[in-house]
Amino acid sequence: MFPSGMQQQMDSGRFAAVLSRSYEEKEIVDIFAAAEPSQVTSVEAQRVAVYQFFNLPISDAGGDA
């Protein structure tokens, strides 16, 4: 998820775009909507996915690396 500044101002931060490399229209989702357990993951898994998405070294992801 990635909330844009304009999106945050329009909906008070309730909605965010799904992070994607596509330049096509982004999918906007309600970040407080109910989700199936199979659709969620840990904060650590999300952190790793974001660092991989932006091609950043995982060891620099904060913490004691």
Side-chain angles (χ1 to χ4, degrees):
M1 301 286 118
F2 189 80
S4 73
M6 185 184 300
Q7 186 74 40
Q8 288 178 331
Q9 288 180 346
M10 291 179 2
D11 59 33
S12 299
R14 176 156 184 137
F15 295 88
V18 175
L19 193 59
S20 169
R21 294 198 185 280
S22 172
Y23 289 105
E24 297 175 17
E25 188 172 334
K26 303 287 185 191
E27 178 185 3
I28 305 297
V29 296
D30 181 345
I31 62 173
F32 295 112
E36 294 294 322
S38 63
Q39 295 177 300
V40 298
T41 188
S42 69
V43 172
E44 177 62 17
Q46 293 175 55
R47 182 185 67 80
V48 169
V50 168
Y51 272 75
Q52 289 174 340
F53 183 87
F54 290 108
N55 295 317
L56 299 171
I58 300 295
S59 62
D60 291 345
D64 299 324

